[in-house]
Amino acid sequence: MNNFKVSVQETSNNAIVKFELNQFITKHQSFEFNNIDDAKASPLAQQLFYLPFVKKVYISSNFIAVERYNIVEWNDVQDEVAEQIEAYLNDGGEVITEDAAPKKQIPVTVYAEATPNPAVMKFVANKKIATSLFEFTSIDDAKLSPMASELFHFPFVKSVFIEENYVSVTKYDMAEWQDITVELREFIRNFIADGKEVVLPEAAEKMENSTPQLDKKFEALDDTSKEIVNILEEYVKPAVASDGGNIQFMGYDANEKSVSVMLQGACSGCPSSTFTLKNGIENMLKQMLPGKVETVEAING
């Protein structure tokens, strides 16, 4: 079994629902089908067209969007459709036939972007390359990521952080960015363009700090910890993600009124980032959760 999991996501168009997957189902390609005859290249889309309310099917790298006719409301059928897609994929059902031509093929581009951490460079792709976030600090740690494993063969690569559409690489001091950036950018671009797996499908389940595992941990937290996590997600994570990093809640001590967080990617190991983030988060949590938080400890991942 491939252990596919499907989650239902509403869109701005109430006739269309996205069924997001925890794994990629196409090689960074997109396909659109308007009816069952049009869907000969996709056994999965044909299966969906047997449902009388399905008007159009759009298949992308890690989601399936379905447009309905007005004979039903999505609230009445979306869970059953999600279950059907999940069962089909876990039974080994074919998504797209091998000889199918994509509706639109966009060339892969990757650009390098400096981060506040001088040891870290962010390589941003124009395609989604992962369904979760992952950090690898050694070649042994990177067994679940073919891309990270190969990056560690470069002697100057210290750690690799992979997010939905970018890779942050931390280098050793032995090399300067002006000497290695082009080489790394071309390696990453070619790796994606060749359709290789950036991260293995089972990685999200096996890695302790991946997004699905963190979601499970969230449900077990106390109310104050959940408030802290939600504040970090809304106010802090978007800013650090733009710099090629991530912040992860580690724990809350109600007696000491202290919070511990882990800095990953570009934020990790950068003295100025650690100091700035720690103070900024500490002040924010003090203001938003008065009497509950006094100190924040920032740990480098």
Side-chain angles (χ1 to χ4, degrees), residues 72-298:
V72 297
E73 294 297 328
W74 272 121
N75 286 338
D76 298 327
V77 296
Q78 62 189 26
D79 291 340
E80 291 175 18
V81 175
E83 288 173 12
Q84 180 175 324
I85 293 171
E86 197 171 285
Y88 179 90
L89 293 172
N90 284 321
D91 284 342
E94 190 175 26
V95 178
I96 301 292
T97 57
E98 288 187 10
D99 58 346
K103 193 75 174 177
K104 47 188 176 182
Q105 181 73 6
I106 301 172
V108 175
T109 61
V110 173
Y111 69 87
E113 184 178 292
T115 76
N117 186 340
V120 179
M121 187 70 72
K122 181 179 175 184
F123 297 89
V124 185
N126 65 331
K127 297 178 182 291
K128 191 168 184 176
I129 61 171
T131 59
S132 183
L133 62 87
F134 304 90
E135 185 169 40
F136 306 98
T137 56
S138 70
I139 195 166
D140 289 334
D141 188 35
K143 291 174 181 175
L144 292 167
S145 170
M147 176 185 277
S149 294
E150 290 197 33
L151 282 169
F152 277 113
H153 284 102
F154 291 99
F156 44 76
V157 171
K158 184 178 181 181
S159 66
V160 178
F161 180 82
I162 298 174
E163 247 279 26
E164 286 194 350
N165 73 321
Y166 70 83
V167 182
S168 287
V169 176
T170 304
K171 70 173 180 67
Y172 286 106
D173 292 338
M174 63 179 280
E176 297 298 328
W177 283 121
Q178 68 238 32
D179 300 323
I180 61 175
T181 297
V182 173
E183 183 180 9
L184 282 174
R185 187 186 68 212
E186 283 306 295
F187 168 81
I188 292 169
R189 189 191 69 79
N190 290 334
F191 193 99
I192 298 168
D194 289 344
K196 296 179 181 178
E197 282 188 309
V198 175
V199 180
L200 296 181
E202 63 267 27
E205 294 296 323
K206 290 186 176 180
M207 291 191 68
E208 184 179 344
N209 290 328
S210 67
T211 303
Q213 300 299 330
L214 295 176
D215 289 344
K216 291 178 184 176
K217 291 178 182 177
F218 178 82
E219 296 305 320
L221 296 175
D222 60 84
D223 290 343
T224 301
S225 293
K226 286 181 178 178
E227 286 184 280
I228 294 167
V229 170
N230 288 332
I231 290 170
L232 295 177
E233 289 283 339
E234 184 173 355
Y235 297 101
V236 182
K237 277 198 174 187
V240 298
S242 68
D243 287 334
N246 184 54
I247 186 164
Q248 190 178 121
F249 172 79
M250 297 302 292
Y252 169 66
D253 187 321
N255 294 324
E256 298 291 330
K257 297 181 181 178
S258 65
V259 177
S260 58
V261 296
M262 180 183 288
L263 305 179
Q264 297 174 301
C267 301
S268 178
C270 179
S272 61
S273 290
T274 304
F275 179 77
T276 304
L277 272 174
K278 175 193 174 309
N279 287 340
I281 295 166
E282 195 169 88
N283 291 334
M284 181 184 294
L285 292 177
K286 279 182 180 179
Q287 289 178 11
M288 299 183 79
L289 299 172
K292 294 181 180 179
V293 176
E294 293 296 331
T295 61
V296 170
E297 178 188 11

